[in-house]
């Protein structure tokens, strides 16, 4: 076991862990931030996406050691009081069904829109194509992203 | 504020499914800010802070029931929608049947009882207000959580009436609204749980935790029904963070196979430890099975075995032989996984001989039966707590995860969280049964069906999974076509359906739309083939068959309305532009199905282009559903979208492949689930109907595959009878 420090949603956390433990399990089991979901553990589904120093990462694919002294934002820390504009767009389009994949979808979409506020359909496809939804909310996610782009412009 | 006890009422009120016992009114301690609440019905609570809480017994896994069922209550209550909150009803054995969430029947079953709950409370509130004003209740109206005095136009909010209302007797037969007066039903509402879901606050089974909880994963035999000869877990036990290694005992009634569990301080530690265990397996009877060999067995069964006759009338053989226009098609359907994004999991404790579990189960009563029998306990010794489910689709009928967690909680004497990993679920999940079908059918000179013979072999999860008695004509098996669904949904005077049960080399379970995901494909492709052979347009051919005067009893179920099937067919045909000139290289396919008790009807039409090297472009799809009265239109749209993507994934490339008895797919990727960037343009038409509400969740599945296959036939002349279509070399391109 080693000691690591990470800053999660603005708060410093000391974590005692083996160095190889994926950030996903630190968030979920040690910090009880269960909005970051496990879907596959292989980097395939996108349910576990978080922002690491502002960039989207699959938390099942990065170790706690790689996160040492870095800043992490999870869905719980995406916005403080009112919903983030991307969450608001998701609400407008009534996107979720079971909802399990949606935190990962939103974390991917927010990272995309942070980087590229006016993405082309190809860019959206490329990013969101790596987030699976078994309930089939894809058409609504597409609409919600377009709505979020409009929100941002206003 | 003084403490007020609202324990007064003892009326017994019974309505449909909801058999209510005496209802104590809620007595909450009012010393604090806790609201005082009035609970005139077990599923409804009105509080003096204005909130109206509706308890739902049905499980939510994306069907939107936690919104549509409260809409039914709110409608009759004339509640202001923003006052409504939804909560899961705690599981109680007394009402276990009401917790069963399968077969797309929640709305159909609860349409009246949920409304009655709202109506009953409304009548009490009106009476309370009328008493205050000293007027007759007929002089009052209600809207937006208020009672209004029609003469004086004064109004009193519900929250200010709960104390008085709680003194009144519960009406026995509350009056329901005429649908013309509906204000909430039929208007789209957003999910009541959306804020929690989108901010990560909703607690799914995988997310639930208890203090001092340990985490476990199980190593199971890669082959179904394999057993352990011996194992060595020394290395695993020595890994830092491992608490114990425990053998899992097989439990037939809970669908649990022998295995080795690692209990550790984390999922991650448990996963690493699992890899360090050496097991010598006896792979058992299914060791050598491949997908091909099992399909071969099914095909042999159809050809050579004496089949169980499910239904037979007329003389199929003679009529088939006499017909000039006939078809014989051999269908092959693979095993399919549900692959919900949330894998199974369960949290369990064991204290003083009693178990408590937390998880997601579509049928908690069935789960408790299997668990109590397996553990030799009474129901009093098992408390089930139900959590939000990350995708159901039939996968959460199984409760093997609960049995495993309970075994470990007892062995370790500590709260246990038992996880299934993604790979566990892909490789050792419970699958839709595979099936082989031979379908022979013929038509007469007027394009009426003159014979129909459906012979098939597959497996039944009733038998295979829980050792339950076989229901041979069940729509679950799929063989025989329609079983409890009634006969073929096209009229035919000479009919036979027969099947043969073959134990599956994997666990099986219901899968969104059950046997209809296969049967409807067989029927709709055969109909298309007959139309082609009769040189008739496939839509016209269907419409001709479905004419009212084509039916003779006992072929048609009383509640089946073929005209509604005709309507959805016409809607998708018009939507896709069936009779308009087609663009070059555009080809159309159509298919339809009635469903479950025939209260819902759906159809799909595809517009596709296919290149010489078998690359398919889906230009457009139009879907139509007539599910009777629509409660939440946006919810119906969402289900039709989701069902389409579900069914298209399966039709294009869904397949669980067995090699040496072992499932080859391990994540969503190899299983070929449709991705965001592959979603073709889809339009959905919903019929605005005043018929009783029918099924929705599964309705959008069955006619997708045959509509696509029929479009491929139109484009290429290739009659696809083996699913997924990727097996015939076709591939979707964007
Ligand atoms: S859990 Fe990390 S990508 Fe699926
Ligand atoms: S909403 Fe259920 S998996 Fe996406």
């Amino acid at each position: 076991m080693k000691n690591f420090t990470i800053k999660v949603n603005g708060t410093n956390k000391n974590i005692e862990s083996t160095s190889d433990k994926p950030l996903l399990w630190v968030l979920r089991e040690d910090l009880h931030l269960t909005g970051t979901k496990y879907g596959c553990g292989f980097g395939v589904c996108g349910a576990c996406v978080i922002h690491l120093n502002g960039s989207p990462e699959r938390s099942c694919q990065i170790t706690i050691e790689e996160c040492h002294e870095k800043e992490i934002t999870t869905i719980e820390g995406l916005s403080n009081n009112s919903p983030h504009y991307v969450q608001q767009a998701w609400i407008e389009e009534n996107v979720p069904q079971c909802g399990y994949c949606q935190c990962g979808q939103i974390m991917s979409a927010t990272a995309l829109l942070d980087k590229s506020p006016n993405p082309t359909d190809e860019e959206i496809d490329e990013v969101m194509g790596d987030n699976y939804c078994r309930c089939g909310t894809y058409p609504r996610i597409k609409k919600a992203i377009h709505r979020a782009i409009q929100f941002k412009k206003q | 504020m003084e403490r007020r006890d609202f324990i007064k009422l003892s009326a017994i009120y019974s309505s449909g499914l909801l058999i209510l016992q005496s209802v104590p009114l809620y007595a909450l301690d009012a010393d604090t800010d806790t609201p005082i609440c009035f609970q005139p019905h077990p599923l409804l609570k009105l509080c003096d802070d204005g909130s109206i809480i509706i308890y739902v017994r049905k499980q939510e896994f994306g069907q939107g029931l936690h919104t549509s069922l409260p809409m039914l209550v709110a409608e009759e209550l004339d509640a202001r929608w923003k006052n409504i909150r939804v909560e899961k009803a705690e599981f109680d054995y007394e009402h276990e049947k009401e917790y069963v969430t399968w077969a797309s029947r929640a709305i159909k079953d609860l349409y009246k009882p949920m409304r009655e709950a709202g109506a009953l409370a409304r009548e009490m509130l009106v009476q309370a207000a009328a008493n205050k004003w000293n007027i007759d209740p007929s002089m009052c109206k209600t809207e937006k959580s208020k009672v209004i005095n029609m003469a004086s136009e004064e109004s009193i909010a519900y929250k200010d009436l709960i104390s008085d209302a709680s003194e009144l007797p519960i009406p026995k037969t509350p009056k329901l609204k005429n649908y013309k007066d509906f204000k909430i039903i039929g208007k789209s509402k957003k999910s009541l749980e959306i804020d929690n879901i989108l901010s990560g606050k909703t607690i799914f089974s995988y997310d639930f935790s208890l203090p001092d909880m340990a985490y476990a994963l199980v190593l199971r035999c890669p082959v179904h029904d394999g057993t352990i000869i011996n194992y060595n877990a020394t290395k695993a036990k020595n890994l830092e963070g491992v608490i114990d290694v425990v053998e899992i005992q097989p439990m037939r009634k809970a669908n649990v196979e022998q295995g080795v569990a690692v209990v550790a301080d984390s999922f991650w530690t448990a996963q690493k430890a699992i890899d360090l265990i050496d097991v010598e397996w006896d792979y058992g009877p299914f060791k050598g099975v491949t997908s091909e060999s099992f399909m071969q067995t099914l095909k042999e069964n159809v050809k050579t075995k004496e089949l169980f006759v499910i239904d037979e009338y007329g003389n199929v053989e003679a009529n088939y032989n006499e017909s000039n226009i006939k078809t014989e098609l051999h269908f092959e359907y693979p095993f399919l996984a549900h692959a919900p994004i949330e894998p199974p999991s369960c949290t369990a404790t064991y204290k003083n001989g009693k178990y408590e579990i937390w998880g997601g189960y579509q049928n908690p009563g069935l789960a408790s039966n299997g668990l109590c029998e397996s553990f030799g306990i009474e129901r009093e010794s098992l408390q089930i707590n139900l959590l939000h489910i990350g995708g159901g689709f039939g996968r959460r009928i199984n409760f093997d995860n609960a049995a495993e967690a309970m075994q470990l909680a007892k062995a370790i004497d500590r709260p246990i969280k038992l996880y299934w990993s993604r790979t566990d679920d892909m490789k050792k999940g419970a699958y839709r049964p595979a099936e082989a079908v031979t379908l022979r059918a013929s038509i007469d000179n007027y394009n009426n069906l003159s014979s129909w013979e459906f012979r098939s072999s597959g497996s039944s999860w009733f038998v295979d999974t829980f050792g339950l008695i076989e229901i041979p004509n069940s729509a679950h098996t799929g063989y025989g076509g329609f079983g409890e669904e009634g006969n073929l949904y096209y009229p035919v005077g000479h009919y036979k359906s027969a099947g043969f049960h073959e134990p599956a080399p994997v666990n099986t379970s219901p899968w969104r739309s059950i046997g209809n995901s296969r049967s409807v494909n067989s029927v709709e492709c055969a109909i298309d083939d007959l139309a082609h052979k009769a040189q008739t347009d496939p839509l016209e051919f269907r419409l001709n068959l479905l004419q009212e005067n084509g039916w003779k009893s006992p072929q048609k179920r009383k509640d089946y309305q073929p005209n509604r099937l005709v309507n959805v067919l016409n809607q998708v045909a018009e939507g896709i532009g069936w009779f308009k000139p087609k663009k070059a290289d555009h080809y159309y396919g159509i298919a339809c199905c009635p469903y479950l008790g025939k209260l819902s009807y759906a159809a799909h039409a595809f517009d596709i282009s296919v290149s010489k090297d078998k690359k398919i472009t889906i230009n457009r799809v139009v879907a139509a559903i007539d599910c009777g009265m629509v409660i939440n239109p946006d919810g119906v749209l969402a289900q039709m979208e989701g069902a389409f993507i579900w069914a298209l994934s399966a039709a294009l490339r869904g397949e669980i492949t067995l090699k040496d008895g072992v499932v080859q797919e391990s994540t969503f990727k190899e299983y070929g689930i449709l991705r965001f960037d592959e979603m073709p343009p889809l339009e959905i038409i919903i019929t605005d109907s005043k018929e009783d509400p029918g099924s929705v969740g599964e309705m959008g599945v069955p006619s997708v595959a045959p509509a696509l296959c029929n479009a491929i036939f139109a484009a290429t002349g290739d009659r696809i009878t083996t699913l997924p279509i990727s097996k015939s070399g076709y591939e979707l391109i964007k």
Side-chain angles (χ1 to χ4, degrees):
Chain A
M1 292 279 182
K2 280 194 196 160
N3 284 312
F4 300 98
T5 314
I6 51 178
K7 193 172 198 179
V8 183
N9 301 331
T11 312
N12 283 321
K13 301 278 178 190
N14 295 317
I15 306 288
E16 197 191 74
S17 168
T18 55
S19 343
D20 60 350
K21 189 172 183 176
L23 174 66
L24 172 67
W25 300 109
V26 173
L27 294 172
R28 290 182 55 83
E29 293 178 344
D30 301 337
L31 302 176
H32 299 291
L33 292 169
T34 53
T36 306
K37 304 296 185 196
Y38 167 85
C40 68
F42 289 105
V44 169
C45 72
C48 66
V49 172
I50 51 91
H51 301 167
L52 183 68
N53 285 354
S55 303
E57 287 289 346
R58 296 186 173 222
S59 61
C60 69
Q61 297 298 300
I62 39 170
T63 63
I64 180 71
E65 186 166 42
E66 289 166 304
C67 300
H68 184 50
E69 294 184 339
K70 292 194 177 146
E71 273 188 42
I72 292 147
T73 307
T74 70
I75 188 79
E76 290 89 347
L78 191 60
S79 69
N80 287 331
N81 303 316
S82 53
H84 184 273
Y85 76 97
V86 173
Q87 279 162 325
Q88 193 55 46
W90 247 248
I91 292 170
E92 298 295 330
E93 295 297 342
N94 198 24
V95 174
Q97 288 189 30
C98 82
Y100 193 79
C101 72
Q102 297 298 338
C103 297
Q105 305 278 6
I106 289 177
M107 294 310 280
S108 290
T110 48
L112 166 69
L113 298 181
D114 281 349
K115 198 181 83 194
S116 157
N118 208 356
T120 61
D121 275 353
E122 288 70 33
E123 279 175 85
I124 296 173
D125 275 1
E126 196 178 320
V127 171
M128 300 312 290
D130 283 332
N131 276 70
Y132 282 90
C133 172
R134 189 60 167 145
C135 295
T137 62
Y138 301 141
R140 287 168 189 242
I141 292 175
K142 187 168 264 176
K143 283 195 209 150
I145 290 176
H146 285 289
R147 196 182 272 261
I149 295 168
Q150 294 312 316
F151 280 170
K152 183 119 194 211
K153 279 189 190 150
Q154 285 159 14
Chain B
M1 212 190 296
E2 270 174 42
R3 185 191 161 91
R4 283 176 283 171
D5 282 329
F6 284 175
I7 304 173
K8 270 274 165 71
L9 300 180
S10 60
I12 291 183
Y13 166 70
S14 130
S15 126
L17 266 183
L18 302 170
I19 311 297
L20 308 182
Q21 304 305 312
S22 39
V23 185
L25 282 182
Y26 239 66
L28 286 176
D29 197 332
D31 290 344
T32 63
D33 286 343
T34 317
I36 292 178
C37 302
F38 160 51
Q39 188 165 12
H41 184 286
L43 301 181
L44 173 61
K45 199 159 92 177
L46 296 104
C47 299
D48 69 355
D49 64 353
S51 61
I52 297 172
I53 302 163
I54 294 166
Y55 295 90
V56 178
R57 292 193 170 121
K58 297 284 179 196
Q59 305 313 297
E60 177 66 66
F61 34 89
Q63 332 88 300
L65 292 177
H66 279 194
T67 304
S68 52
L69 292 173
M71 285 173 75
L72 298 174
V73 181
E75 175 67 67
E76 295 290 342
L77 182 58
D78 274 335
R80 184 192 282 270
W81 183 248
K82 73 172 207 276
N83 296 147
I84 300 286
R85 275 174 36 205
V86 62
E87 280 183 22
K88 287 182 183 56
E90 275 177 26
F91 179 63
D92 69 292
Y93 286 115
E94 202 179 313
H95 303 103
E96 63 177 294
K97 291 217 161 49
E98 293 165 35
Y99 291 80
V100 179
T101 315
W102 63 19
S104 305
R105 36 183 323 139
I107 293 285
K108 191 164 157 257
D109 291 347
L110 295 179
Y111 177 58
K112 223 173 138 221
M114 293 300 273
R115 286 168 60 210
E116 280 169 343
L120 158 162
R122 179 188 165 276
E123 277 183 25
M124 294 172 83
L125 293 159
V126 166
Q127 186 66 57
N131 291 351
K132 276 197 179 204
W133 289 318
N134 209 0
I135 58 172
D136 191 84
S138 65
M139 296 303 295
C140 299
K141 63 177 186 176
T142 48
E143 62 182 44
K144 297 191 173 149
S145 301
K146 279 187 311 221
V147 183
I148 297 163
N149 180 335
M150 290 195 283
S152 69
E153 291 186 6
E154 284 171 276
S155 69
I156 312 180
Y158 287 173
K159 68 181 170 64
D160 300 324
L161 287 165
I162 64 171
S163 168
D164 289 354
S166 70
E167 305 284 330
L168 301 171
I170 296 181
K172 284 216 173 57
T173 45
K175 202 168 157 289
L176 296 181
K177 284 185 186 174
N178 185 297
Y179 70 81
K180 291 196 191 85
D181 300 322
F182 285 170
K183 294 191 196 86
I184 292 175
I185 292 177
K187 304 273 183 322
S188 288
K189 293 281 178 233
K190 292 186 201 311
S191 159
L192 283 170
E193 292 164 328
I194 200 163
D195 292 345
N196 283 342
I197 284 178
L198 298 181
S199 55
K201 290 196 192 96
T202 301
I203 298 294
F204 292 83
S205 180
Y206 232 76
D207 305 332
F208 182 76
S209 70
L210 290 172
D212 193 37
M213 187 171 81
Y215 304 89
L217 282 165
V218 177
L219 177 61
R220 302 174 188 84
C221 181
V223 183
H224 180 53
D225 269 351
T227 49
I228 297 170
I229 298 168
N230 58 58
Y231 70 95
N232 181 341
T234 317
K235 277 186 265 165
K237 277 188 184 157
N238 289 337
L239 189 73
E240 189 179 7
V242 170
I243 296 163
D244 207 347
V245 174
V246 181
E247 200 177 312
I248 296 286
Q249 301 306 323
M251 289 178 163
R252 183 81 185 92
K253 287 277 150 81
N255 206 15
V256 173
E257 295 178 15
Q258 203 179 12
V260 185
V262 172
V263 183
D265 62 356
S266 160
F267 177 109
W268 178 243
T269 311
Q271 181 161 284
K272 283 195 296 181
I274 286 270
D275 292 340
L276 298 174
I277 301 175
D278 293 319
V279 188
E280 191 185 337
W281 299 104
D282 173 351
Y283 291 114
F286 298 112
K287 180 175 136 195
V289 177
T290 64
S291 306
E292 292 78 24
S293 72
F294 186 68
M295 187 48 72
Q296 202 50 43
T297 307
L298 298 181
K299 281 158 64 180
E300 289 293 319
N301 290 345
V302 174
K303 222 188 275 172
T304 60
K305 289 276 182 13
E306 191 180 330
L307 307 187
F308 179 93
V309 177
I310 289 145
D311 202 358
E312 184 170 18
Y313 48 80
N315 187 337
V316 170
E317 198 63 30
N319 278 275
Y320 182 79
N321 290 336
E322 273 167 27
S323 286
N324 295 325
I325 302 180
K326 51 188 148 192
T327 184
E328 175 171 338
L329 296 170
H330 303 275
F331 294 94
E332 296 178 23
Y333 299 100
F335 288 108
L336 290 174
H338 310 75
I341 308 285
E342 182 195 25
S345 68
C346 178
T347 306
T349 60
Y350 177 77
K351 247 183 250 136
N352 309 325
K354 288 193 196 279
Y355 295 90
E356 186 166 2
I357 62 170
W358 290 260
Y361 304 99
Q362 284 180 250
N363 189 338
L366 181 76
S368 86
N369 290 343
L371 293 169
C372 288
E373 214 179 308
S374 302
F375 286 82
I377 54 172
E378 299 298 320
R379 283 181 153 187
E380 299 83 72
S381 304
L382 174 64
Q383 189 179 331
I384 300 181
N385 303 284
L386 297 166
L387 298 169
H388 213 87
I389 300 177
F393 319 118
R395 179 70 184 93
R396 319 292 182 173
I397 305 298
N398 297 69
F399 44 89
D400 38 15
N401 51 79
E404 290 169 340
M406 285 163 65
Q407 286 193 24
L408 294 172
K410 187 171 181 190
I412 301 289
D413 195 23
R414 190 171 160 175
I416 290 287
K417 173 150 217 98
L418 183 280
Y419 292 119
W420 279 52
S421 70
R422 168 55 43 206
T423 320
D424 292 339
D425 187 46
M426 286 304 294
K427 289 186 177 291
K428 289 285 287 192
Y431 309 92
R432 183 200 71 173
E435 188 189 30
V437 175
T438 292
L439 204 162
R440 296 198 303 167
S442 59
I443 53 173
D444 63 17
N445 295 335
Y446 305 98
N447 281 358
N448 295 317
L449 295 175
S450 58
S451 73
W452 189 275
E453 186 197 47
F454 190 103
R455 298 159 59 85
S456 79
S457 183
S459 319
S460 152
W461 68 275
F462 284 120
V463 186
D464 288 353
T465 306
F466 299 118
L468 300 178
I469 15 150
E470 176 152 24
I471 308 169
N473 64 347
S474 158
H476 286 279
T477 57
Y479 60 71
F482 296 91
E484 67 188 4
E485 297 284 87
N487 291 318
L488 183 63
Y489 50 86
Y490 295 103
V492 60
H494 304 272
Y495 176 82
K496 181 174 178 178
S497 61
F500 187 87
H501 177 260
E502 180 69 34
V506 289
N507 279 323
T508 55
S509 81
W511 187 91
R512 193 174 193 171
S513 85
I514 51 172
N516 299 288
S517 65
R518 303 177 305 255
S519 315
V520 169
N521 185 69
S522 305
V523 171
E524 291 297 311
C525 290
I527 291 286
D528 203 74
D529 207 49
L530 288 167
H532 171 72
K533 291 192 164 131
Q535 297 179 354
T536 308
D537 174 85
L539 170 66
E540 301 268 20
F541 187 81
R542 285 176 173 82
L543 298 180
N544 176 56
L545 286 176
L546 290 169
Q547 288 177 60
E548 261 317 313
N549 57 14
W551 300 88
K552 289 185 200 71
S553 66
Q555 303 160 18
K556 181 168 147 299
R557 275 174 59 130
K558 269 211 299 297
D559 49 2
Y560 170 35
Q561 297 165 276
N563 60 315
R564 294 171 70 186
L565 198 55
V566 167
N567 284 345
V568 287
L569 274 168
N570 280 326
Q571 285 169 340
V572 294
E574 188 168 335
I576 208 85
W578 192 268
F579 292 114
K580 293 214 184 102
K582 296 185 185 63
K583 282 193 220 147
D585 300 329
H586 284 234
Y587 297 91
Y588 298 169
I590 198 163
C592 63
C593 67
Y595 202 59
L596 293 179
K598 311 291 188 242
L599 286 179
S600 284
Y601 303 80
H604 283 88
F606 275 69
D607 167 351
I608 66 166
S609 303
V610 186
S611 71
K612 286 214 175 60
D613 58 350
K614 298 191 165 183
K615 301 272 186 286
I616 299 173
T617 308
I618 301 177
N619 303 311
R620 268 175 79 222
V621 180
V622 180
I625 178 169
D626 170 359
C627 57
M629 175 83 69
V630 175
I631 311 304
N632 187 5
D634 194 53
V636 174
L637 281 179
Q639 287 303 299
M640 288 299 285
E641 289 161 7
F644 170 71
I645 294 168
W646 175 270
L648 187 61
S649 292
L652 289 169
R653 55 203 182 205
E655 185 184 15
I656 285 295
T657 322
L658 290 168
K659 216 170 132 191
D660 299 326
V662 180
V663 172
Q664 299 300 296
E665 291 75 16
S666 50
T667 75
F668 307 112
K669 204 178 220 147
E670 304 93 68
Y671 183 50
I673 289 176
L674 209 73
R675 295 152 46 107
F676 173 90
D677 52 327
E678 296 179 299
M679 174 70 198
L682 169 71
E683 292 147 50
I684 297 161
I685 301 162
I686 303 178
T687 294
D688 183 17
S689 159
K690 298 297 167 255
E691 302 276 351
D692 282 348
S695 304
V696 177
E698 297 168 287
M699 272 314 294
V701 174
S703 49
V704 171
L708 173 59
C709 288
N710 293 340
I712 294 174
F713 179 80
T716 66
D718 204 352
R719 173 65 63 201
I720 291 176
T721 54
T722 298
L723 288 180
I725 63 169
S726 57
K727 290 205 137 178
S728 308
Y730 291 95
E731 197 190 326
L732 181 72
I733 51 165
K734 283 189 265 170

